[in-house]
Amino acid sequence: IEPNKKFVVDHISGPFYLGTVLFDDVDGGTQVTMVWTFRDQPVFDKIKDIVAEGNEGNFDRLGEVVRESLAS
């Protein structure tokens, strides 16, 4: 973990992947970049749609937390 910059998750149970989330200052806001690197391509091919939907949900929840913290 790099505070205010990056965190990395090593998902050690299946499906196996390394997840990296980066936070960068861009035009007075924060750009969030998420990268998941899967160990096995065939596994990723089977679950990529689920992963994309899950990440949309993650961004939705992050947006809610940010809005709530700005409102208080």
Side-chain angles (χ1 to χ4, degrees):
I1 296 176
E2 282 182 52
N4 303 315
K5 185 69 178 159
K6 168 173 85 172
F7 72 85
V8 177
V9 175
D10 188 3
H11 198 262
I12 60 173
S13 62
F16 301 99
Y17 64 86
L18 189 66
T20 303
V21 182
L22 303 170
F23 302 91
D24 293 297
D25 293 328
V26 176
D27 298 328
T30 303
Q31 176 177 302
V32 180
T33 304
M34 298 169 63
V35 178
W36 305 138
T37 305
F38 284 79
R39 185 185 301 172
D40 299 306
Q41 183 69 43
V43 170
F44 175 72
D45 290 342
K46 288 180 184 176
I47 65 171
K48 63 184 172 187
D49 292 335
I50 296 167
V51 170
E53 290 174 21
N55 284 334
E56 286 298 321
N58 290 336
F59 278 118
D60 290 344
R61 286 189 297 279
L62 177 60
E64 290 172 17
V65 169
V66 169
R67 281 188 293 280
E68 289 172 7
S69 69
L70 292 175
S72 59

